Amino acid sequence: MTTRRDYGLTLRRCIERLDQQGSGRLAADVTGEDWQDVLIELWGHLSAATWNRNLAAVATFLEWLGDAEVCTVRLPALCKARKIHIDETKAEEREDLEFLWAPTVDLRERALWRVLYESSSRAEAVLSLDVENVDLRRRRAKAVLKGGNTLWVHFEERGGELLREYIGDRTSGPLWLTNRRPRNWRDRPASDRSPDGRHYRLSYNRAARIIKTFSAKAVAVTLHILRHSRLTHLAEDGVDTPMLQAISGHTNPATLHRRYSKPTSRAVQKLFAQRSAAGP
């Protein structure tokens, strides 16, 4: 569902921009260079991952137009995916994240960020949770991951307490709610609205902006860094690979170790200090 929604948003933004450049043009009249110019204008200044995601959506759409014999437009050969560089320092120290769940933080954000951290789950999966799929007694929730797979997302006592307080007497509907009507609210499924019809499911983009703005003056945290940091901390605590895979949902242990389970700089410093104290 998320992929389909993002795909639609990408094409809608591109088509709006193309209409501004030449209102009423047929698809066959739009050149590959026109598509490239729009891609660069909208996403050329953003991260490689964001560029690649939107580029792939446009390329797939143009391939579909070709298969449907509407037109045979293709993106220029130089308009291609960018290499994504892995940042080995993305994991934050445990104590550096404490400000995210301080009592002064709004309850929804405190609960969301704590559950994201404790579960090590992908943000899209946690944001897709419904109240009826949360098992507070066992401190787990049934989440749908990329590709449609379903698994239990587990959280700890601290996250469970915040969730219990945030849910209150609600028994159904989206877990994370917002009073702001989404820009694409007409395209959102009925399951993204609260039972009273007055609230909507908190979107990934909105949640990402909130944590980015909140943490800008402290440690620059993103939704993904919470997952990244938690897996790193669990690995530092000696949690083995099969358990890390069960927690994170990774099917490939190589990806897990390459990107997530490397010790932080502070953990290395602690090891060196212990060795120094032990003597030569």
Side-chain angles (χ1 to χ4, degrees), residues 51-85:
W51 166 264
N52 292 347
R53 182 175 66 251
N54 289 286
L55 172 67
V58 170
T60 301
F61 175 64
L62 294 180
E63 288 178 8
W64 177 81
L65 290 179
D67 293 341
E69 298 183 354
V70 175
C71 64
T72 57
V73 176
R74 292 291 183 269
L75 291 171
L78 293 178
C79 187
K80 56 187 179 182
R82 299 172 183 170
K83 182 178 180 180
I84 297 177
H85 299 279

Side-chain angles (χ1 to χ4, degrees), residues 12-202:
R12 188 175 299 112
R13 290 191 66 187
C14 287
I15 291 171
E16 287 175 354
R17 194 57 54 91
L18 287 168
D19 281 344
Q20 292 172 4
Q21 296 174 357
S23 181
R25 284 190 295 176
L26 298 174
D29 296 329
V30 181
T31 67
E33 287 73 16
D34 291 332
W35 284 102
Q36 175 183 245
D37 290 344
V38 168
L39 281 166
I40 292 174
E41 180 181 350
L42 293 174
W43 300 289
H45 60 291
L46 300 180
S47 69
T50 300
W51 166 264
N52 292 347
R53 182 175 66 251
N54 289 286
L55 172 67
V58 170
T60 301
F61 175 64
L62 294 180
E63 288 178 8
W64 177 81
L65 290 179
D67 293 341
E69 298 183 354
V70 175
C71 64
T72 57
V73 176
R74 292 291 183 269
L75 291 171
L78 293 178
C79 187
K80 56 187 179 182
R82 299 172 183 170
K83 182 178 180 180
I84 297 177
H85 299 279
I86 299 174
D87 184 356
E88 302 286 0
T89 66
K90 280 200 300 187
E92 298 294 343
E93 311 295 347
R94 303 169 205 241
E95 54 268 36
D96 291 341
L97 295 175
E98 285 294 324
F99 76 101
L100 292 174
W101 27 85
T104 53
V105 179
D106 289 345
L107 177 59
R108 184 190 66 184
E109 271 60 59
R110 260 190 296 154
L112 172 60
W113 298 340
R114 187 70 198 184
V115 169
L116 282 170
Y117 173 74
E118 290 182 355
S119 69
S120 307
S121 183
R122 294 180 176 88
E124 293 90 341
V126 173
L127 290 167
S128 72
L129 290 173
D130 293 323
V131 173
E132 56 266 37
N133 291 330
V134 178
D135 185 346
L136 289 171
R137 184 170 66 88
R138 295 185 174 89
R139 294 200 289 269
R140 65 181 185 177
K142 190 179 295 184
V144 179
L145 303 182
K146 288 182 178 179
N149 294 331
T150 305
L151 59 68
W152 288 109
V153 168
H154 296 83
F155 42 90
E156 297 179 353
E157 184 174 357
R158 197 170 176 184
E161 291 174 352
L162 288 170
L163 265 185
R164 189 183 304 278
E165 183 180 357
Y166 175 65
I167 291 173
D169 58 0
R170 289 190 289 144
T171 58
S172 63
L175 176 57
W176 313 103
L177 294 174
T178 178
N179 294 325
R180 295 168 60 104
R181 190 169 72 177
R183 184 175 59 182
N184 63 327
W185 64 275
R186 290 187 179 86
D187 299 327
R188 302 286 284 271
S191 59
D192 275 1
R193 298 190 70 171
S194 62
D196 61 13
R198 293 182 297 175
H199 307 281
Y200 292 84
R201 187 186 304 278
L202 180 65

